[in-house]
């Protein structure tokens, strides 16, 4: 008889519903825009949109306590300050991790390219940051 281990720790301040709603919206937008512009097959673009921020889900899953503390301090929005702190603590930020994960899978390189071109350690959130 198989006994499951203890439940995985949850990541405080990670809003899973918000994450999946945003991922679904990105997937739908990628499919519609890609289809209209004939960039790539619609289903492929849908998948790319759905996985566009899988790095945040990975950080919340692999480092639930430490990442939850970051989200509590900086919020769930993708800001230069949060990305910089992610890079400092984990060696990469969520967008770079998303690109790496998509490249490591069977996804087209073109899906990962926009994120891999982003700066590794953003300087600030803008004036006065």
């Amino acid at each position: 008889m198989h006994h499951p281990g203890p439940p995985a720790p949850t990541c405080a301040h990670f809003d899973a519903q918000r994450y999946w709603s945003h991922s679904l919206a990105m997937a739908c937008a990628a499919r519609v825009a890609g289809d209209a512009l004939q960039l790539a097959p619609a289903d492929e673009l849908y998948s790319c949109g759905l996985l566009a921020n899988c790095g945040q889900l990975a950080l919340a899953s692999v480092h639930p306590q430490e990442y939850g503390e970051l989200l509590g301090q900086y919020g769930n929005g993708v800001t230069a300050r949060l990305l910089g702190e992610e890079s400092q603590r984990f060696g990469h930020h969520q967008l770079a991790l998303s690109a790496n994960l998509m490249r490591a899978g069977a996804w087209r390189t073109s899906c990962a390219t926009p994120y891999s071109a982003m700066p590794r350690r953003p300087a600030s959130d803008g004036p006065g940051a």
Side-chain angles (χ1 to χ4, degrees):
M1 185 163 155
H2 180 266
H3 294 283
T10 58
C11 182
H13 305 287
F14 178 71
D15 186 343
Q17 179 152 354
R18 178 176 182 251
Y19 171 84
W20 287 112
S21 294
H22 182 260
S23 294
L24 185 58
M26 291 281 292
C28 292
R31 175 187 279 161
V32 169
D35 193 40
L37 299 172
Q38 301 199 358
L39 298 173
D43 288 344
E44 184 175 306
L45 292 170
Y46 182 87
S47 296
C48 289
L50 192 63
L51 296 173
N53 200 18
C54 61
Q56 185 180 42
L57 181 61
L59 290 173
S61 299
V62 175
H63 304 287
Q65 184 173 350
E66 192 172 1
Y67 194 60
E69 292 168 6
L70 276 183
L71 294 177
Q73 186 173 358
Y74 297 103
N76 268 297
V78 178
T79 64
R81 294 177 73 189
L82 176 60
L83 296 176
E85 192 62 33
E86 290 170 352
S87 292
Q88 184 175 354
R89 288 199 193 182
F90 306 115
H92 45 255
H93 56 66
Q94 59 183 281
L95 301 178
L97 182 55
S98 296
N100 290 338
L101 290 169
M102 290 194 323
R103 270 195 304 274
W107 303 104
R108 285 173 43 116
T109 304
S110 62
C111 292
T113 300
Y115 289 137
S116 60
M118 294 191 70
R120 183 153 166 75
R121 301 218 33 216
S124 72
D125 287 325

